């Protein structure tokens, strides 16, 4: 869903080489990228957790970081349950190792994911058009990403899945 508006604009962009609003499009793209990064940085200072399962995700990741098994044995009492697959928990382990408190670790991890999505989208689109056009097209992508709202800033697997899709598309294009 994120790529459909960008592909439509890309088709128009390629047909209209003398697009009269290219500079405006470029400026809007640059500005929307700056807003996207700024909102992600503001998310670092947001107090508390966003979803009720974030504490669970961080607890399982912290338990794994301290040597506890990710999957406990079938004979053990139910210490914790895995709502998601192991990737959702494992990706936060390096960030937890670098911070004393789990909330900043989670936020820095989310920031890294979102910047990774933006960077990967840049390289995907760069294969198709000039870098100036990519900046303009990223305005559509950042608008759609920001429209996702809280899913973009939480520890759920949504942003990881989007990053994995972008990396797979980049691999397919290469």
């Amino acid at each position: 869903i994120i790529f459909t508006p960008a592909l439509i604009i890309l088709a128009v962009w390629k047909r209209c080489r003398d697009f009269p609003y290219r500079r405006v499009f470029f400026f809007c793209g640059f500005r929307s990228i700056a807003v996207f990064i700024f909102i992600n940085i503001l998310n670092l200072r947001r107090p508390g957790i966003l979803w009720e399962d974030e504490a669970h995700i961080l607890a399982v990741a912290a338990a794994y970081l301290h040597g506890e098994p990710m999957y406990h044995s079938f004979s053990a009492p139910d210490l914790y349950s895995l709502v998601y697959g192991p990737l959702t928990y494992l990706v936060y382990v390096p960030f937890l190792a670098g911070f004393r408190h789990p909330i900043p670790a989670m936020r820095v991890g989310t920031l890294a994911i979102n910047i990774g999505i933006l960077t990967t989208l840049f390289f995907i689109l760069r294969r198709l058009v000039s870098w100036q056009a990519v900046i303009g097209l990223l305005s559509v992508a950042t608008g759609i990403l920001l429209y996702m709202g809280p899913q973009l800033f939480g520890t759920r697997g949504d942003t990881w899945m989007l990053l994995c899709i972008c990396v797979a598309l980049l691999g397919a294009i290469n």
Side-chain angles (χ1 to χ4, degrees), residues 20 37 60 79 83 95 103 117 126:
I37 292 171
V60 173
L79 302 175
V83 180
F95 298 109
I103 300 295
I117 290 170
R126 182 63 185 101

Side-chain angles (χ1 to χ4, degrees), residues 68-96:
E68 298 296 322
M70 177 72 63
Y71 296 100
H72 50 282
S73 69
F74 290 116
S75 62
D78 191 20
L79 302 175
Y80 50 84
S81 65
L82 294 176
V83 180
Y84 306 105
L87 180 64
T88 303
Y89 306 103
L90 291 176
V91 293
Y92 289 101
V93 170
F95 298 109
L96 285 171

Side-chain angles (χ1 to χ4, degrees), residues 46-64:
R46 181 176 45 84
I49 59 174
L50 190 59
W51 304 99
E52 53 279 343
D53 59 349
E54 286 183 337
H56 170 76
I57 292 170
L58 291 173
V60 173
Y64 186 77

Side-chain angles (χ1 to χ4, degrees), residues 18-135:
D18 299 324
F19 187 57
Y21 301 107
R22 279 189 175 209
R23 288 185 184 186
V24 173
F25 196 54
F26 174 75
F27 176 73
C28 289
F30 185 75
R31 193 166 172 205
S32 67
I33 292 168
V35 167
F36 180 77
I37 292 171
F38 179 71
I39 289 173
N40 273 280
I41 291 172
L42 283 180
N43 184 47
L44 295 173
R45 299 184 49 92
R46 181 176 45 84
I49 59 174
L50 190 59
W51 304 99
E52 53 279 343
D53 59 349
E54 286 183 337
H56 170 76
I57 292 170
L58 291 173
V60 173
Y64 186 77
L65 177 67
H66 295 295
E68 298 296 322
M70 177 72 63
Y71 296 100
H72 50 282
S73 69
F74 290 116
S75 62
D78 191 20
L79 302 175
Y80 50 84
S81 65
L82 294 176
V83 180
Y84 306 105
L87 180 64
T88 303
Y89 306 103
L90 291 176
V91 293
Y92 289 101
V93 170
F95 298 109
L96 285 171
F99 291 88
R100 291 179 183 254
H101 195 271
I103 300 295
M106 172 185 66
R107 300 280 163 68
V108 170
T110 304
L111 174 69
I113 296 166
N114 290 335
I115 299 240
I117 290 170
L118 202 62
T119 304
T120 310
L121 283 174
F122 176 86
F123 287 120
I124 289 170
L125 293 170
R126 182 63 185 101
R127 293 279 186 193
L128 305 171
V129 293
S130 68
W131 69 271
Q132 294 94 345
V134 170
I135 299 296

